[in-house]
Amino acid sequence: MVLGLAYICGLLATKLVGGQYWVLGLGLLLAIAAMVWQRPRRINRQARLQRQRNPKKPDPGTLSNSKSPPRPSVLLQLPSGIWLAAGIIGLLAGFYLQIRTPQPAVGDISQLLQARNASNALITVRGEVTSNPRLTRSGRVQFWLRAIQVNEITGNNQPIEVSQEVIGKVYVTVSPLQATGLQPNLLIAVTGNLYQPRPAVNPGGFDFPAYLARQGAFAGFKGRYLTFQSDAPSTWGWWQLRQRILRTQVEQLGVPAGAVLSGMILGGRAVDLPYDIRDQFVQVGLAHTLAASGFHVSLLLGVVLALVKRGTPWLKFWIGTFTLVGYVGLTGGAPSVLRASLMGAAALVALVTERKVRPLSVLLLAAVILLLINPLWVWDLGFQLSFLATLGLLVTVPPMVQRLDWLPPVIATGLAVPLAATIWTLPLQLYAFHVFSPYSIIVNLLTVPLITVLTLGGVLSGALILVWPFLGGMIAALLDYPLQGLLAIVQFFNQLPGNSIATGEVALLQLLALYGINLWLWWWGTQQQGSTPRTARPSHRPFFQSALRRLLNPLWIGILMAIAIVALPAWYTKTTQFQATILATAREPILVIQEKGNVILVNSGSQDTAQYVVLPYLKAQGVNQIKWSVATDSRLGLNIGWPTILQQLPVSTFYDNPASKQTYYVSSQAILEALKARQVSYQALPIRESVTLGSTVVELLNAEVPVVQFTIANQRWILLGEVAPEDQILLAQKTRLPLPRCSGGLAIL
């Protein structure tokens, strides 16, 4: 176990500069400490052997010092060579991750971006589709393309090149109309623009290049036209079985219920669920139900083994193995499913060999095997959450059920399972998403019976659909009522106030401290397992002593420490912060002013900007409410993102540019309806009158060509709309301000 943990720690340590060398140094320190602690024990052991050989001539000096040294820690009882080997493995793991990190090969299509400035050219790429098409939030269809050749390059005064051979994987998006009939393994030709993915330039933003690199791709392609080079897929694929299951269940249950059922049994990789449904499940802490995980694997394997319980061990082994392989293929081979399947395979091997399974050792072995196959999975959030949730179930559920022995066993177990999983996954969720779902425990408790029924029924329905679609569809139809009940619970809790709380960014040191508390409580729990049962302990302690003992219980101390680690830095920031931030956007001036918990948001940008730039930044800053919002431009294209923001965050007052919006009537009505639905106070910005928002003063100097002056911390900020440089002088004279020569942005005077 030590060597396996060293390998995983070596991979994780690469997030820090020189982290793998730190693992090596820690291994060396533990090796030296083990040698120092074990030396007196070796001396005493040699002395005892000497006395046994010469019982008549004991050494007085040895007898006087024959007292055994204190028993060292379990870690220090291991041989020093183990710790030295662990440090070396951690060091090598870091280098192995660097070696396995994908890099553009010679002839990769991404090299066209540097060689020919292909981002400005219209090119046609021919290749093979390698994934199911998926709908993005922006309404386009995305798929992965294995590029084979570039048929032509035009648009940069370059000569046309025909049939230039290329390799590599490309992230392609096309319009839904162009994607009609698109399937994996088809040969297609896509005409469009190759582009370099942009890294995250705002806090909380999505690191697109890093995501593509983990998939082995280094360029994106925005397709305009798509033509099919083959009429049918060249090879058979698991996707055909997935589509058959999805199609039948949707026919019986409709949309979105049928897609939700298919997503519950096949996972998010196999089923393209609408984003509004995904967001609702994530918002209430039920994202795991839409991702194939260990729960699905254990449930499926348990049912299969129960059906053949009278068979021989080898029969159970082969049927169980066939079931695991089939489920991995149907779900698309997600890391969480692979981890659970490896643990299931270990249980089948133990069944055949009649050996006892050590769950923790099997979990660690499964993780090491997967990370040897693909070390980049160490950064896959699904793999991390699956590993931590399983660890929580193994080490936290038993002691928690023991402490809940005053409840019926079914209720105690039902309460312990979601609590244990939350305790071990919540720190990582806060670190990755900066959001906490306060209703997640309650929702999980309420939906456990429904999820169990739907998972069992969905798996049975899917299996029968593959051999007898009619019968499988009838079973799916029987699941309509529990499925509607699940969707009703999710929708109800989504409508409650405070269903999602932004906590702000959690630093890496805070994350390590939170998991340090978890490990400490785990160690304390193992020490308590051998103590006297609570029913046998004396109950005649004084009340004050008993209350003090409960108050100083390590469990409560750990909980208070965890809350303090997250809450105190956030509270201090809220009460002292005064910050004005201009978000990095292309042509949309967006300003966020934070003053002691009060937030002013100036402009929202487009829908994509609001979704992918503004909201992630506000969540990373721990913003749960916008007190004042200001729309400075009458052009709705720069402010149509307000409905998207209003769906996520409450706004107290909305100040609008009073200029005419007849050209953008439909978009203007959408914003006004969103404001009315959220009961936001609407006010028009007065022209040349100061509006005080906290300590910030806003003054609209010109409405048609927006010129807005902000006084922030005794500095004047001028927001100027799109104005030609030659017109800026006239505008400056009209507004009587020394405007700088800039356009479409903010400037400090």
Side-chain angles (χ1 to χ4, degrees), residues 32 43 120-121 131 136 145 184-185 214 219 231 234 241 273-274 280 376 392 495 515 550 600 619 623 628 678:
I32 295 173
I43 294 175
N120 297 324
S131 69
T136 66
L145 181 71
N185 303 328
R214 287 195 296 269
D231 297 332
S234 57
L241 301 181
L273 283 172
Q280 289 181 10
L376 294 175
Q495 295 174 350
Y515 279 113
R550 290 191 179 94
I600 305 172
K619 289 181 180 179
V623 174
W628 300 290
R678 300 289 295 202

mmCIF file of all heavy atoms in Angstrom, residues 32 43 120-121 131 136 145 184-185 214 219 231 234 241 273-274 280 376 392 495 515 550 600 619 623 628 678:
data_model
loop_
_atom_site.group_PDB
_atom_site.id
_atom_site.type_symbol
_atom_site.label_atom_id
_atom_site.label_comp_id
_atom_site.label_asym_id
_atom_site.label_seq_id
_atom_site.Cartn_x
_atom_site.Cartn_y
_atom_site.Cartn_z
ATOM 1 N N ILE A 32 15.011 7.652 7.309
ATOM 2 C CA ILE A 32 15.953 7.965 8.402
ATOM 3 C C ILE A 32 15.250 7.848 9.746
ATOM 4 O O ILE A 32 15.814 7.297 10.710
ATOM 5 C CB ILE A 32 16.529 9.380 8.195
ATOM 6 C CG1 ILE A 32 17.376 9.415 6.919
ATOM 7 C CG2 ILE A 32 17.361 9.804 9.404
ATOM 8 C CD1 ILE A 32 17.838 10.803 6.532
ATOM 9 N N ILE A 43 18.887 -3.306 19.069
ATOM 10 C CA ILE A 43 19.898 -3.538 20.116
ATOM 11 C C ILE A 43 19.318 -4.413 21.218
ATOM 12 O O ILE A 43 19.970 -5.374 21.687
ATOM 13 C CB ILE A 43 20.390 -2.193 20.675
ATOM 14 C CG1 ILE A 43 21.150 -1.424 19.589
ATOM 15 C CG2 ILE A 43 21.258 -2.406 21.911
ATOM 16 C CD1 ILE A 43 21.580 -0.043 20.008
ATOM 17 N N ASN A 120 -6.755 32.178 -39.974
ATOM 18 C CA ASN A 120 -7.448 33.132 -40.839
ATOM 19 C C ASN A 120 -7.829 32.523 -42.175
ATOM 20 O O ASN A 120 -8.323 33.228 -43.055
ATOM 21 C CB ASN A 120 -6.566 34.363 -41.078
ATOM 22 C CG ASN A 120 -6.296 35.109 -39.787
ATOM 23 O OD1 ASN A 120 -7.158 35.185 -38.926
ATOM 24 N ND2 ASN A 120 -5.091 35.638 -39.650
ATOM 25 N N ALA A 121 -7.573 31.244 -42.365
ATOM 26 C CA ALA A 121 -7.825 30.603 -43.653
ATOM 27 C C ALA A 121 -9.046 29.702 -43.577
ATOM 28 O O ALA A 121 -9.429 29.214 -42.515
ATOM 29 C CB ALA A 121 -6.609 29.779 -44.075
ATOM 30 N N SER A 131 -16.373 10.105 -31.870
ATOM 31 C CA SER A 131 -17.215 10.239 -30.677
ATOM 32 C C SER A 131 -18.643 10.518 -31.087
ATOM 33 O O SER A 131 -18.918 10.875 -32.237
ATOM 34 C CB SER A 131 -16.704 11.370 -29.771
ATOM 35 O OG SER A 131 -16.906 12.630 -30.390
ATOM 36 N N THR A 136 -23.548 21.599 -27.364
ATOM 37 C CA THR A 136 -22.875 22.482 -26.419
ATOM 38 C C THR A 136 -23.871 23.518 -25.883
ATOM 39 O O THR A 136 -24.986 23.660 -26.377
ATOM 40 C CB THR A 136 -21.700 23.203 -27.080
ATOM 41 O OG1 THR A 136 -22.195 24.092 -28.100
ATOM 42 C CG2 THR A 136 -20.749 22.201 -27.726
ATOM 43 N N LEU A 145 -12.737 14.573 -34.079
ATOM 44 C CA LEU A 145 -12.411 14.127 -35.440
ATOM 45 C C LEU A 145 -10.949 13.716 -35.492
ATOM 46 O O LEU A 145 -10.068 14.475 -35.070
ATOM 47 C CB LEU A 145 -12.670 15.253 -36.442
ATOM 48 C CG LEU A 145 -12.407 14.924 -37.919
ATOM 49 C CD1 LEU A 145 -13.464 13.961 -38.435
ATOM 50 C CD2 LEU A 145 -12.393 16.201 -38.757
ATOM 51 N N PRO A 184 -20.455 8.045 -35.024
ATOM 52 C CA PRO A 184 -19.055 7.636 -34.910
ATOM 53 C C PRO A 184 -18.646 6.711 -36.052
ATOM 54 O O PRO A 184 -19.471 6.007 -36.646
ATOM 55 C CB PRO A 184 -19.013 6.910 -33.555
ATOM 56 C CG PRO A 184 -20.179 7.438 -32.795
ATOM 57 C CD PRO A 184 -21.233 7.718 -33.821
ATOM 58 N N ASN A 185 -17.363 6.742 -36.363
ATOM 59 C CA ASN A 185 -16.733 5.894 -37.380
ATOM 60 C C ASN A 185 -17.059 6.302 -38.811
ATOM 61 O O ASN A 185 -16.659 5.610 -39.755
ATOM 62 C CB ASN A 185 -17.096 4.413 -37.187
ATOM 63 C CG ASN A 185 -16.712 3.902 -35.819
ATOM 64 O OD1 ASN A 185 -15.733 4.344 -35.230
ATOM 65 N ND2 ASN A 185 -17.499 2.968 -35.288
ATOM 66 N N ARG A 214 -5.419 17.086 -22.396
ATOM 67 C CA ARG A 214 -5.691 15.808 -21.717
ATOM 68 C C ARG A 214 -6.373 14.816 -22.643
ATOM 69 O O ARG A 214 -6.290 13.603 -22.437
ATOM 70 C CB ARG A 214 -6.548 16.056 -20.475
ATOM 71 C CG ARG A 214 -5.805 16.705 -19.331
ATOM 72 C CD ARG A 214 -6.584 16.579 -18.035
ATOM 73 N NE ARG A 214 -7.844 17.279 -18.073
ATOM 74 C CZ ARG A 214 -8.013 18.536 -17.693
ATOM 75 N NH1 ARG A 214 -6.975 19.229 -17.255
ATOM 76 N NH2 ARG A 214 -9.196 19.111 -17.746
ATOM 77 N N ALA A 219 -5.907 21.689 -31.049
ATOM 78 C CA ALA A 219 -6.526 22.699 -31.893
ATOM 79 C C ALA A 219 -8.027 22.471 -31.932
ATOM 80 O O ALA A 219 -8.513 21.354 -31.734
ATOM 81 C CB ALA A 219 -5.949 22.660 -33.310
ATOM 82 N N ASP A 231 -21.322 6.387 -46.426
ATOM 83 C CA ASP A 231 -22.741 6.314 -46.082
ATOM 84 C C ASP A 231 -23.000 5.567 -44.793
ATOM 85 O O ASP A 231 -24.049 5.739 -44.177
ATOM 86 C CB ASP A 231 -23.527 5.633 -47.212
ATOM 87 C CG ASP A 231 -23.456 6.443 -48.497
ATOM 88 O OD1 ASP A 231 -23.305 7.677 -48.395
ATOM 89 O OD2 ASP A 231 -23.542 5.833 -49.577
ATOM 90 N N SER A 234 -17.683 2.516 -40.734
ATOM 91 C CA SER A 234 -16.769 1.494 -41.239
ATOM 92 C C SER A 234 -16.683 0.292 -40.324
ATOM 93 O O SER A 234 -16.417 -0.811 -40.775
ATOM 94 C CB SER A 234 -15.369 2.105 -41.417
ATOM 95 O OG SER A 234 -14.918 2.664 -40.183
ATOM 96 N N LEU A 241 -25.312 0.201 -29.648
ATOM 97 C CA LEU A 241 -26.138 -0.364 -28.579
ATOM 98 C C LEU A 241 -26.668 0.733 -27.670
ATOM 99 O O LEU A 241 -27.829 0.678 -27.221
ATOM 100 C CB LEU A 241 -25.316 -1.380 -27.770
ATOM 101 C CG LEU A 241 -24.744 -2.567 -28.558
ATOM 102 C CD1 LEU A 241 -23.984 -3.495 -27.622
ATOM 103 C CD2 LEU A 241 -25.860 -3.325 -29.270
ATOM 104 N N LEU A 273 -27.546 14.700 -22.308
ATOM 105 C CA LEU A 273 -28.685 15.284 -21.627
ATOM 106 C C LEU A 273 -28.745 16.791 -21.857
ATOM 107 O O LEU A 273 -27.708 17.444 -22.000
ATOM 108 C CB LEU A 273 -28.594 15.009 -20.124
ATOM 109 C CG LEU A 273 -28.955 13.605 -19.652
ATOM 110 C CD1 LEU A 273 -28.615 13.445 -18.185
ATOM 111 C CD2 LEU A 273 -30.426 13.322 -19.880
ATOM 112 N N PRO A 274 -29.937 17.372 -21.860
ATOM 113 C CA PRO A 274 -30.044 18.835 -21.940
ATOM 114 C C PRO A 274 -29.332 19.487 -20.758
ATOM 115 O O PRO A 274 -29.358 18.968 -19.637
ATOM 116 C CB PRO A 274 -31.554 19.084 -21.906
ATOM 117 C CG PRO A 274 -32.174 17.797 -22.346
ATOM 118 C CD PRO A 274 -31.261 16.716 -21.877
ATOM 119 N N GLN A 280 -29.791 21.331 -13.033
ATOM 120 C CA GLN A 280 -30.694 21.127 -11.901
ATOM 121 C C GLN A 280 -30.198 20.008 -10.992
ATOM 122 O O GLN A 280 -30.232 20.145 -9.759
ATOM 123 C CB GLN A 280 -32.102 20.805 -12.411
ATOM 124 C CG GLN A 280 -32.827 21.991 -13.043
ATOM 125 C CD GLN A 280 -34.219 21.621 -13.510
ATOM 126 O OE1 GLN A 280 -34.730 20.537 -13.200
ATOM 127 N NE2 GLN A 280 -34.850 22.507 -14.269
ATOM 128 N N LEU A 376 -2.719 10.543 -16.790
ATOM 129 C CA LEU A 376 -3.452 11.806 -16.886
ATOM 130 C C LEU A 376 -4.812 11.724 -16.203
ATOM 131 O O LEU A 376 -5.419 12.762 -15.908
ATOM 132 C CB LEU A 376 -3.636 12.200 -18.350
ATOM 133 C CG LEU A 376 -2.355 12.554 -19.115
ATOM 134 C CD1 LEU A 376 -2.674 12.798 -20.572
ATOM 135 C CD2 LEU A 376 -1.681 13.770 -18.507
ATOM 136 N N GLY A 392 -14.586 7.060 1.245
ATOM 137 C CA GLY A 392 -15.465 7.467 2.333
ATOM 138 C C GLY A 392 -16.435 6.372 2.734
ATOM 139 O O GLY A 392 -16.685 6.154 3.928
ATOM 140 N N GLN A 495 -36.006 25.298 -6.724
ATOM 141 C CA GLN A 495 -36.749 26.539 -6.568
ATOM 142 C C GLN A 495 -36.618 27.146 -5.184
ATOM 143 O O GLN A 495 -37.031 28.292 -4.978
ATOM 144 C CB GLN A 495 -38.231 26.292 -6.889
ATOM 145 C CG GLN A 495 -38.489 25.916 -8.348
ATOM 146 C CD GLN A 495 -39.923 25.528 -8.608
ATOM 147 O OE1 GLN A 495 -40.708 25.351 -7.676
ATOM 148 N NE2 GLN A 495 -40.286 25.396 -9.877
ATOM 149 N N TYR A 515 -8.519 17.735 4.005
ATOM 150 C CA TYR A 515 -8.307 16.288 3.937
ATOM 151 C C TYR A 515 -7.412 15.802 5.073
ATOM 152 O O TYR A 515 -7.492 14.638 5.476
ATOM 153 C CB TYR A 515 -7.743 15.899 2.574
ATOM 154 C CG TYR A 515 -8.832 15.801 1.532
ATOM 155 C CD1 TYR A 515 -8.897 16.698 0.474
ATOM 156 C CD2 TYR A 515 -9.824 14.837 1.631
ATOM 157 C CE1 TYR A 515 -9.920 16.630 -0.465
ATOM 158 C CE2 TYR A 515 -10.841 14.757 0.706
ATOM 159 C CZ TYR A 515 -10.890 15.651 -0.336
ATOM 160 O OH TYR A 515 -11.918 15.574 -1.252
ATOM 161 N N ARG A 550 -18.169 15.678 25.791
ATOM 162 C CA ARG A 550 -18.811 15.727 24.473
ATOM 163 C C ARG A 550 -18.308 16.921 23.666
ATOM 164 O O ARG A 550 -18.122 16.836 22.455
ATOM 165 C CB ARG A 550 -20.328 15.792 24.628
ATOM 166 C CG ARG A 550 -20.967 14.503 25.137
ATOM 167 C CD ARG A 550 -22.483 14.579 24.993
ATOM 168 N NE ARG A 550 -23.117 13.355 25.456
ATOM 169 C CZ ARG A 550 -23.595 13.176 26.686
ATOM 170 N NH1 ARG A 550 -23.500 14.165 27.572
ATOM 171 N NH2 ARG A 550 -24.159 12.045 27.031
ATOM 172 N N ILE A 600 -21.234 45.420 -7.451
ATOM 173 C CA ILE A 600 -21.767 46.163 -8.588
ATOM 174 C C ILE A 600 -21.270 45.472 -9.859
ATOM 175 O O ILE A 600 -20.063 45.289 -10.027
ATOM 176 C CB ILE A 600 -21.294 47.630 -8.581
ATOM 177 C CG1 ILE A 600 -21.636 48.311 -7.252
ATOM 178 C CG2 ILE A 600 -21.910 48.394 -9.745
ATOM 179 C CD1 ILE A 600 -21.030 49.685 -7.113
ATOM 180 N N LYS A 619 -18.619 33.273 -9.074
ATOM 181 C CA LYS A 619 -18.574 32.118 -8.175
ATOM 182 C C LYS A 619 -17.203 31.982 -7.529
ATOM 183 O O LYS A 619 -17.096 31.669 -6.339
ATOM 184 C CB LYS A 619 -18.925 30.849 -8.947
ATOM 185 C CG LYS A 619 -20.382 30.736 -9.353
ATOM 186 C CD LYS A 619 -20.645 29.444 -10.095
ATOM 187 C CE LYS A 619 -22.109 29.338 -10.510
ATOM 188 N NZ LYS A 619 -22.386 28.077 -11.261
ATOM 189 N N VAL A 623 -19.458 35.330 -4.739
ATOM 190 C CA VAL A 623 -20.581 36.264 -4.851
ATOM 191 C C VAL A 623 -21.883 35.474 -4.938
ATOM 192 O O VAL A 623 -22.050 34.639 -5.834
ATOM 193 C CB VAL A 623 -20.414 37.173 -6.081
ATOM 194 C CG1 VAL A 623 -21.651 38.043 -6.278
ATOM 195 C CG2 VAL A 623 -19.168 38.032 -5.938
ATOM 196 N N TRP A 628 -26.212 45.909 -7.105
ATOM 197 C CA TRP A 628 -26.525 46.864 -8.164
ATOM 198 C C TRP A 628 -25.979 46.324 -9.492
ATOM 199 O O TRP A 628 -24.832 45.885 -9.560
ATOM 200 C CB TRP A 628 -25.897 48.233 -7.890
ATOM 201 C CG TRP A 628 -26.363 48.868 -6.623
ATOM 202 C CD1 TRP A 628 -27.592 49.385 -6.360
ATOM 203 C CD2 TRP A 628 -25.590 49.065 -5.432
ATOM 204 N NE1 TRP A 628 -27.650 49.888 -5.084
ATOM 205 C CE2 TRP A 628 -26.422 49.715 -4.489
ATOM 206 C CE3 TRP A 628 -24.274 48.768 -5.062
ATOM 207 C CZ2 TRP A 628 -25.987 50.051 -3.217
ATOM 208 C CZ3 TRP A 628 -23.844 49.106 -3.795
ATOM 209 C CH2 TRP A 628 -24.703 49.737 -2.883
ATOM 210 N N ARG A 678 -37.770 37.911 -11.530
ATOM 211 C CA ARG A 678 -36.918 37.881 -10.331
ATOM 212 C C ARG A 678 -37.216 39.034 -9.377
ATOM 213 O O ARG A 678 -36.536 39.196 -8.373
ATOM 214 C CB ARG A 678 -35.451 37.937 -10.754
ATOM 215 C CG ARG A 678 -35.005 36.789 -11.629
ATOM 216 C CD ARG A 678 -34.914 35.502 -10.880
ATOM 217 N NE ARG A 678 -33.877 35.548 -9.862
ATOM 218 C CZ ARG A 678 -33.284 34.494 -9.339
ATOM 219 N NH1 ARG A 678 -33.629 33.299 -9.766
ATOM 220 N NH2 ARG A 678 -32.378 34.605 -8.398
#
